[in-house]
Amino acid sequence: MRLYLDPGHGGTDSGATGNGLLEKNINLDIALRIGTILLNNYENVNIRMSRTGDTTVSLQQRTNDANTWGADYFLSIHCNAFNGTAYGYEDFIYSGLSDSSPTARYRDSIHTEVTRVNQLYNRGKKKDNFHVLRESNMPAMLTENGFIDHTHDSNLMKQSSWLQTVAQGHVNGLAIAFNLQRKPDDSDVFYKVIAGSFKSRENAEERVAFLNSRGIDSFVATVTISGEVWYRAQAGAFSTRQNAEVRLNEVKNAGIEDAYIISEQQSTVLVESTLMED
């Protein structure tokens, strides 16, 4: 399955705004989580994104890119705004399609799974003439994940756990719609969240103290790499990458932007990231 993920807006186009949030950031966060969950857990999934950072991409660039790549499905992630009075979740397919079209059937599965978990009022399944729905050569869907200017919805958007849950809802729907097969579980692998690696134990302890003060349980762990001892501020170990990703986002939201995940199997490091020199 070739999925084109489109986080709406970006760069000079912030999208909707409200309650201290920018739509472009929420869209990107959810889309990145969708991609991570799919790649980590499902077989034969290829993903291309219209943007992976805060960049400006035109609507035509998005659909041209998806069409040229030959995507099987186009999924555009958005959230909404309307004077602070409207609230809830809704999604769209192209207005020229029937309710019995493949696009509508795919949307039915995703709509059901997202609304099952997102804690938002269900505004229903809708149709419109949006560019990304009209100009994409493949089945396409646009989801509006709450109203950023509504207090209830925006309070959810500020929670890393909610963003992860919404992403998982999209993935659950995609898995049903496209009959995706899960990768075999490997119970021997576990995932550690590293909030910094230091040559100085004192610096590692300072990082741990900061995290604990923010309510994130962490401790100092040591590892020897190429004969050198490093001190890690570790913020948890998890049996699933999904749970590790949730903790990673909590750490980054606390201001530790260089945090990362390593996966280990029977004490052997499988994935490593850049070490800091202080």
Side-chain angles (χ1 to χ4, degrees):
M1 181 230 189
R2 295 165 68 85
L3 173 66
Y4 195 86
L5 266 176
D6 175 40
H9 307 285
T12 57
D13 177 12
S14 64
T17 62
N19 295 299
L21 299 172
L22 300 178
E23 180 190 354
K24 65 178 182 178
N25 296 334
I26 302 299
N27 299 342
L28 181 60
D29 191 310
I30 294 173
L32 288 171
R33 292 171 188 264
I34 291 171
T36 297
I37 296 170
L38 282 169
L39 292 175
N40 285 340
N41 295 284
Y42 290 91
E43 303 278 5
N44 301 318
V45 175
N46 294 307
I47 293 174
R48 187 174 179 90
M49 297 185 66
S50 59
R51 63 184 181 96
T52 57
D54 188 18
T55 54
T56 303
V57 186
S58 72
L59 294 175
Q60 185 173 358
Q61 286 175 312
R62 296 169 198 250
T63 51
N64 286 351
D65 189 34
N67 293 340
T68 300
W69 185 54
D72 297 313
Y73 196 62
F74 189 109
L75 179 59
S76 192
I77 305 299
H78 287 256
C79 49
N80 229 325
F82 188 75
N83 298 326
T85 59
Y87 53 92
Y89 168 87
E90 59 193 11
D91 47 46
F92 294 85
I93 60 173
Y94 176 51
S95 54
L97 295 171
S98 72
D99 291 337
S100 60
S101 65
T103 298
R105 293 198 301 270
Y106 293 147
R107 189 265 295 273
D108 289 346
S109 296
I110 297 170
H111 180 95
T112 297
E113 295 304 315
V114 173
T115 56
R116 191 192 306 276
V117 299
N118 67 2
Q119 304 173 59
L120 295 173
Y121 172 69
N122 185 355
R123 297 171 60 88
K125 295 178 283 188
K126 301 182 179 181
K127 298 179 182 180
D128 213 310
N129 191 34
F130 298 143
H131 175 97
V132 295
L133 303 179
R134 182 185 66 249
E135 300 300 326
S136 50
N137 292 340
M138 68 293 304
M141 174 182 182
L142 184 149
T143 64
E144 293 278 8
N145 296 278
F147 282 71
I148 203 168
D149 58 348
H150 188 272
T151 301
H152 171 268
D153 292 7
S154 65
N155 283 341
L156 290 174
M157 293 177 192
K158 294 175 182 178
Q159 301 174 27
S160 176
S161 58
W162 182 82
L163 296 167
Q164 186 73 15
T165 297
V166 168
Q168 185 67 60
H170 283 76
V171 169
N172 294 345
L174 287 164
I176 293 171
F178 291 93
N179 194 29
L180 301 180
Q181 302 301 306
R182 291 189 66 90
K183 293 179 178 179
D185 290 332
D186 190 342
S187 59
D188 292 332
V189 176
F190 56 98
Y191 303 90
K192 295 180 178 180
V193 178
I194 307 300
S197 296
F198 307 88
K199 288 185 176 179
S200 164
R201 185 181 185 94
E202 181 180 352
N203 289 343
E205 289 174 345
E206 288 179 359
R207 178 63 58 84
V208 165
F210 170 76
L211 290 170
N212 288 334
S213 73
R214 299 296 295 270
I216 301 172
D217 292 336
S218 57
F219 59 92
V220 176
T222 60
V223 62
T224 301
I225 300 175
S226 301
E228 289 189 285
V229 176
W230 292 81
Y231 300 94
R232 290 173 171 166
Q234 183 173 321
F238 304 88
S239 60
T240 67
R241 182 160 187 116
Q242 179 182 341
N243 289 339
E245 293 282 357
V246 172
R247 174 57 57 84
L248 177 65
N249 279 285
E250 291 173 353
V251 171
K252 289 188 173 184
N253 288 339
I256 311 301
E257 292 295 333
D258 52 4
Y260 57 92
I261 293 173
I262 61 171
S263 58
E264 294 187 348
Q265 184 173 30
Q266 296 178 350
S267 300
T268 301
V269 176
L270 302 179
V271 179
E272 187 56 87
S273 186
T274 303
L275 301 173
M276 294 178 288
E277 293 295 332
D278 52 332

